[in-house]
Structures are given as structure tokens and as C-alpha cells.
Amino acid sequence: MFSVLPDLSWTGFALATVASIALAGLWFAVVIAKPYLVALGRTADEPPAGQVHPLVTNAGPLVCLVLVTFTSAVLLEALGVTTVADAVTFGLVVGVGYLAAMTFQIAINPSFPRPLMYGLLNAPFFIASSVLSAVIITAFA
């Protein structure tokens, strides 16, 4: 399976990564900014408990998006996905089956005061990002 690395659409991977980062910025900073704080049990004036280093807070999600997009690129190539319809299906399977499911699983712990709300706010981004990435990667393959 990893023999597909030389055949990856590196342009598609790069564009999909940029698109996912842009979508994340729009989604988390604009679309759900206020409800997200509510889901976390915080106000805009209140800093997060156990503040982590700003580098981790800012770069961590970007690194995760790069890894998820790269993994999708590898799987799309290994599975021989070549059509937009199959890319959408792949994106939905990964987005719902892995990313959204893990979002809810992560939220179901005592640190999240509103786990269902947290999952419902985050899952659409991960599903949309997965579909968007799969389509872009496939289009540039």
C-alpha cells in the first residue's frame, strides 16, 4: 500500500490542506465561535483552564489537518479513487465513520460540560473537510 507514495497527487494534497485550513478558520472563528465556547462551558473573556503553550494551541490543529489530509491522499491513491462521486463517498465514509465518530468519543469525558453540543458543532467541519479534501485530491490526481 505504501508503494503509492510516489504516485500521490502532491498538488492535490497541498491544495486540499490549504482548503481544509481555510475552512477550519472560517468554521471555528466565524460560524461556531460563540456556540463553541458554550459547548466548552466558557465565556469569551475567560481563558481556557490549564492553558497550553500558544504554539501547541495554534499549530497543533494545523499539524493534525496535514496528517489527516495526507492519510486521505494515501488511501485515495491506494484504493484507486478516480471519480468525484467516489471521492465524495470516500470523504463521507472517513468524515462520518472516523472523524465525526472520534469527535463525539473524545467529547464524552468529564472535561466537556456539553459533549453532545461539542460533537454537533465539530462534526460538520470534519465531514465537510474530509469530503472537500477527497474531491480536491482526486481532481488533481
Side-chain angles (χ1 to χ4, degrees):
M1 179 199 275
F2 289 102
S3 61
V4 302
L5 292 179
D7 300 324
L8 289 184
S9 169
W10 293 102
T11 301
F13 163 69
L15 292 172
T17 301
V18 170
S20 289
I21 290 169
L23 180 61
L26 177 67
W27 187 257
F28 291 105
V30 178
V31 176
I32 67 161
K34 290 179 183 176
Y36 190 74
L37 289 173
V38 171
L40 295 174
R42 293 185 22 228
T43 65
D45 300 332
E46 182 183 354
Q51 182 77 358
V52 295
H53 193 279
L55 181 62
V56 174
T57 302
N58 295 317
L62 299 177
V63 170
C64 291
L65 275 175
V66 169
L67 292 173
V68 168
T69 307
F70 176 75
T71 302
S72 289
V74 168
L75 291 173
L76 286 162
E77 184 65 33
L79 294 170
V81 174
T82 58
T83 67
V84 171
D86 286 344
V88 169
T89 301
F90 173 89
L92 287 171
V93 168
V94 170
V96 173
Y98 286 127
L99 302 174
M102 285 305 300
T103 298
F104 281 97
Q105 183 176 354
I106 290 165
I108 300 170
N109 72 60
S111 298
F112 290 86
R114 295 177 181 85
L116 181 59
M117 181 180 186
Y118 179 87
L120 290 172
L121 290 171
N122 283 277
F125 162 74
F126 290 111
I127 295 167
S129 177
S130 181
V131 171
L132 178 65
S133 293
V135 168
I136 292 171
I137 292 165
T138 301
F140 283 87

